[in-house]
Amino acid sequence: METILYDVADHIATITLNRPQTLNAFTDQMIAETTATFKQAARDTAVRCIVLTGNGRGFSSGQDLADVQARAGDFSIGEHLRHGYHKLIMQMVTLEKPIIGAINGVAAGAGCGVALATDIRIASDKASFILAFSKIGLIPDSGINWLLPRMIGYGRAYQLAITAEKLPAAQALEWGVVNDVVPHDQLPETVTAWAHKLASGPTLAFGLTKRAMLKAWDTTLPESLEYEAYLQEVAGRSADNQEGVLAFLEKRTANFTGK
Ligand code: LHQ
């Protein structure tokens, strides 16, 4: 792969967007490589937690605008979204393993959408989020219209969209866009600690929880209760459930395997 780095160690897969000279702007190749790598991490039974971050001072500046400009005339944005970003966002949101977004710097445009599609976001104090779309006469895409109002409410989401103003890390924490903000030089160790904790947890249950919450956004309470019962039946038959209950009764730390 040429546009991302991929590493698996200690049950943790790390995907690093790697076009630092553009603050990790997305080309077709980078969208395809990132999507394929998430798919690989999903299938790899050794992987129990995934970290997504950016190389250099940016997380991602969104669509590579120089690339789009070079293809002007022969370019359908709708088709580009359908064949590229939609697959990436759906791959991430339906992937039944926790994805940690290590937001190391600016996340703009579609880069913001990709950041929001992670499950737990830990931000550097130098990070920010910018819905840069309106600056170039576009609307938010990459799932932002669905994800962001659910996180921060319509008024704030609409404000960010139409002003394209920067949401700094501290404000993002206050509004619930990120789970934590840490000094920039402490981001790697903080994310590693989170990743180790998640990767040694009951990861089957973590995956099913993600599925239950995603489904609940589009269903009624009775439907959601029924789906919980169905998934809990699965979790209740897992080795991790057995081990967790036994460990509690024996007053020791549980040794979860994700099975
Ligand atoms: C870039 C980019 C970039 C190329 C920085 N592309 N080079 C989907 C489908 C199809 C069409 C369109 O869009 C979409 C979805 C979208 O994502 S639309 C939104 C696209 N993104 C943007 O509009 C953001 C553009 N970038 C910026 O506004 C700024 O770069 C931000 C605010 C992200 C960072 O500002 P600074 O920290 O001041 O950095 P910089 O602007 O100096 O950028 C550093 C370099 O990165 C610079 O290159 P250079 O050779 O001068 O050092 C930029 O040209 C390059 N770069 N973003 N999206």
Side-chain angles (χ1 to χ4, degrees):
M1 281 171 301
E2 293 171 358
T3 61
I4 63 168
L5 304 172
Y6 186 55
D7 170 70
V8 179
D10 299 331
H11 302 293
I12 301 160
T14 303
I15 301 174
T16 306
L17 305 173
N18 192 29
R19 300 187 69 236
Q21 66 285 2
T22 62
L23 305 179
N24 303 315
F26 277 99
T27 56
D28 288 13
Q29 187 182 3
M30 193 163 98
I31 299 169
E33 289 184 348
T34 310
T35 307
T37 306
F38 270 114
K39 203 172 201 170
Q40 185 179 333
R43 287 183 178 158
D44 186 345
T45 51
V47 172
R48 295 171 65 188
C49 172
I50 301 161
V51 174
L52 177 66
T53 193
N55 188 12
R57 73 178 174 88
F59 176 78
S60 170
S61 58
Q63 175 63 39
D64 188 311
L65 295 177
D67 188 51
V68 168
Q69 187 62 20
R71 292 152 68 183
D74 175 33
F75 186 72
S76 154
I77 298 187
E79 287 308 297
H80 179 65
L81 291 171
R82 287 184 193 103
H83 295 297
Y85 291 106
H86 293 192
K87 289 185 178 159
L88 173 57
I89 299 298
M90 286 308 292
Q91 179 66 56
M92 293 173 70
V93 171
T94 59
L95 201 162
E96 293 189 5
K97 297 177 185 182
I99 304 173
I100 300 175
I103 316 299
N104 55 301
V106 66
C112 183
V114 172
L116 298 182
T118 62
D119 303 303
I120 297 285
R121 286 168 290 282
I122 312 295
S124 148
D125 57 3
K126 290 188 177 167
S128 59
F129 298 84
I130 308 177
L131 301 194
F133 306 90
S134 64
K135 277 193 183 170
I136 55 171
L138 292 180
I139 69 160
D141 58 30
S142 318
I144 290 173
N145 297 301
W146 197 80
L147 288 163
L148 194 59
R150 282 174 160 84
M151 286 179 198
I152 65 175
Y154 167 75
R156 284 171 170 171
Y158 191 63
Q159 177 189 331
L160 290 178
I162 63 170
T163 62
E165 66 196 12
K166 183 191 279 190
L167 179 69
Q171 182 93 62
L173 180 63
E174 212 175 288
W175 284 8
V177 174
V178 298
N179 299 70
D180 199 6
V181 176
V182 297
H184 187 72
D185 61 350
Q186 287 170 28
L187 184 66
E189 67 191 72
T190 308
V191 168
T192 301
W194 262 95
H196 276 292
K197 194 167 178 203
L198 296 187
S200 59
T203 38
L204 175 75
F206 291 168
L208 295 177
T209 304
K210 189 167 163 176
R211 205 204 296 183
M213 289 191 175
L214 180 67
K215 179 109 171 160
W217 268 344
D218 292 326
T219 52
T220 63
L221 178 59
E223 285 164 345
S224 182
L225 287 169
E226 178 47 41
Y227 201 58
E228 284 172 1
Y230 164 69
L231 293 180
Q232 197 68 297
E233 190 72 41
V234 178
R237 291 170 195 269
S238 68
D240 280 347
N241 175 234
Q242 245 180 359
E243 164 63 7
V245 173
L246 210 60
F248 172 76
L249 296 175
E250 292 173 356
K251 300 190 188 304
R252 60 172 173 82
T253 307
N255 181 23
F256 292 120
T257 56
K259 292 182 180 126

